[in-house]
């Protein structure tokens, strides 16, 4: 009886395309083939609908950030930046007060526009932050040449979505300036001004931006001198 059963099982295993095999290999092969076809068609689909996908990611990102902003109570450093922008004169913002904050005055000057116009505290603070976050993700989606999968995933990561998107700090503007440097970096020798202006913006956003822009400048000088040794 067992010998008959064994022969029957072996004959079933030898029948091609049989879906009732006990080891389940036909179903597994069909699933693997389906996954392979999906992965092959994915770049074609993304290439055909690239603008629609990026627009959808941009809209969903803004919707998520606005929703979280509605429930986010600004922290003390966010409120302090608003008070400095509201109560200090333009001269103090440029020459005195923001020196104690350890960063360039651009962020406080941006906040000073709605603050001095009398806008409500959270509306003005979060409105400026939303504009900078939107600029950051717009550059990521429509101007950078990163892999498509990163353009879909990165906007919803912790830092780009919450820390740089919801909390009102200059980091979203700093990341946007870094994207601008990366976008124009390839043509830096032929068209240097877009890179220079992007690095200037990077310097104005944060003290960390000054360090990053300085490293970009050192790398640029090193590459240039290495390609043209007659400068020595």
């Amino acid at each position: 009886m067992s010998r008959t059963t064994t022969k029957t099982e072996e004959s079933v295993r030898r029948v091609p395309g049989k879906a009732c095999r006990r080891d389940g290999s036909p179903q597994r092969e069909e699933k693997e083939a389906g996954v392979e076809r999906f992965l092959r068609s994915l770049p074609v689909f993304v290439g055909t609908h690239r603008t629609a996908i990026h627009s959808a990611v941009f809209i969903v990102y803004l919707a998520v950030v606005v929703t979280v902003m509605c429930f986010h109570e600004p922290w003390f450093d966010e409120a302090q930046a608003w008070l400095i922008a509201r109560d200090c004169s333009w001269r103090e913002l440029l020459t005195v007060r923001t020196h104690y904050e350890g960063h360039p005055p651009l962020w406080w000057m941006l906040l000073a526009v709605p603050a001095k116009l009398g806008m409500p505290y959270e509306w003005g603070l979060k409105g400026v932050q939303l504009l900078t976050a939107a600029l950051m993700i717009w550059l990521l989606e429509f101007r950078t040449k990163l892999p498509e999968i990163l353009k879909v995933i990165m906007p919803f990561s912790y830092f780009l979505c919450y820390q740089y998107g919801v909390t009102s700090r200059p980091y979203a503007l700093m990341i946007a300036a870094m994207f601008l440097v990366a976008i124009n970096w390839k043509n830096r020798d032929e068209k240097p001004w877009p890179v220079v202006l992007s690095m200037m913006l990077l310097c104005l956003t944060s003290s960390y931006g000054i360090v990053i822009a300085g490293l970009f400048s050192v790398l640029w000088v090193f590459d240039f001198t290495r390609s043209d040794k007659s400068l020595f």
Side-chain angles (χ1 to χ4, degrees):
M1 182 69 179
S2 61
R3 184 178 302 173
T4 305
T5 305
T6 304
K7 290 181 179 181
T8 304
E9 291 178 353
E10 291 178 354
S11 62
V12 169
R13 289 193 185 96
R14 286 196 296 268
V15 176
K18 199 72 173 178
C20 59
R21 291 182 183 178
R22 294 182 178 233
D23 58 356
S25 58
Q27 290 88 343
R28 189 181 303 114
E29 291 176 359
E30 291 177 2
K31 290 180 180 179
E32 292 176 354
V35 171
E36 186 177 353
R37 287 194 300 269
F38 172 75
L39 293 177
R40 284 200 305 265
S41 63
L42 188 58
V44 179
F45 175 81
V46 172
T48 306
H49 303 83
R50 182 175 301 166
T51 303
I53 293 175
H54 295 169
S55 300
V57 171
F58 181 69
I59 293 172
V60 173
Y61 173 84
L62 292 181
V64 171
V65 168
V66 170
T67 302
V68 179
M69 277 183 172
C70 293
F71 298 94
H72 171 70
E73 181 179 355
W75 298 346
F76 74 93
D77 59 327
E78 301 174 64
Q80 177 176 308
W82 176 266
L83 292 175
I84 291 174
R86 186 193 67 182
D87 297 337
C88 293
S89 64
W90 291 102
R91 184 183 63 82
E92 289 178 328
L93 287 177
L94 285 172
T95 60
V96 180
R97 185 60 57 191
T98 53
H99 294 180
Y100 295 98
E101 299 299 310
H103 293 285
L106 178 61
W107 177 246
W108 289 269
M109 294 179 69
L110 292 177
L111 293 179
V113 175
K116 294 183 183 302
L117 290 176
M119 288 187 64
Y121 159 52
E122 291 200 23
W123 281 91
L125 181 68
K126 295 178 179 179
V128 173
Q129 173 60 31
L130 182 62
L131 290 176
T132 59
L135 175 63
M136 173 182 67
I137 299 303
W138 183 85
L139 290 172
L140 172 63
E141 293 297 318
F142 298 103
R143 297 300 303 275
T144 62
K145 295 182 180 180
L146 292 174
E148 298 297 329
I149 186 64
L150 290 181
K151 291 186 179 183
V152 174
I153 295 176
M154 283 180 61
F156 304 103
S157 60
Y158 170 74
F159 282 97
L160 265 66
C161 190
Y162 179 72
Q163 284 291 351
Y164 304 159
V166 175
T167 58
S168 299
R169 297 189 179 97
Y171 300 134
L173 193 59
M174 183 179 71
I175 300 299
M178 292 175 64
F179 284 152
L180 287 173
V181 174
I183 291 167
N184 298 293
W185 185 257
K186 185 177 181 180
N187 300 321
R188 61 189 181 277
D189 293 330
E190 294 79 12
K191 299 178 179 179
W193 278 111
V195 180
V196 171
L197 293 175
S198 300
M199 288 195 293
M200 290 174 63
L201 176 62
L202 183 58
C203 290
L204 290 172
T205 56
S206 171
S207 295
Y208 306 112
I210 296 175
V211 177
I212 297 171
L215 293 175
F216 280 142
S217 301
V218 172
L219 178 61
W220 191 0
V221 171
F222 176 75
D223 288 341
F224 187 78
T225 53
R226 185 179 60 177
S227 61
D228 191 357
K229 295 183 179 179
S230 63
L231 292 174
F232 289 101

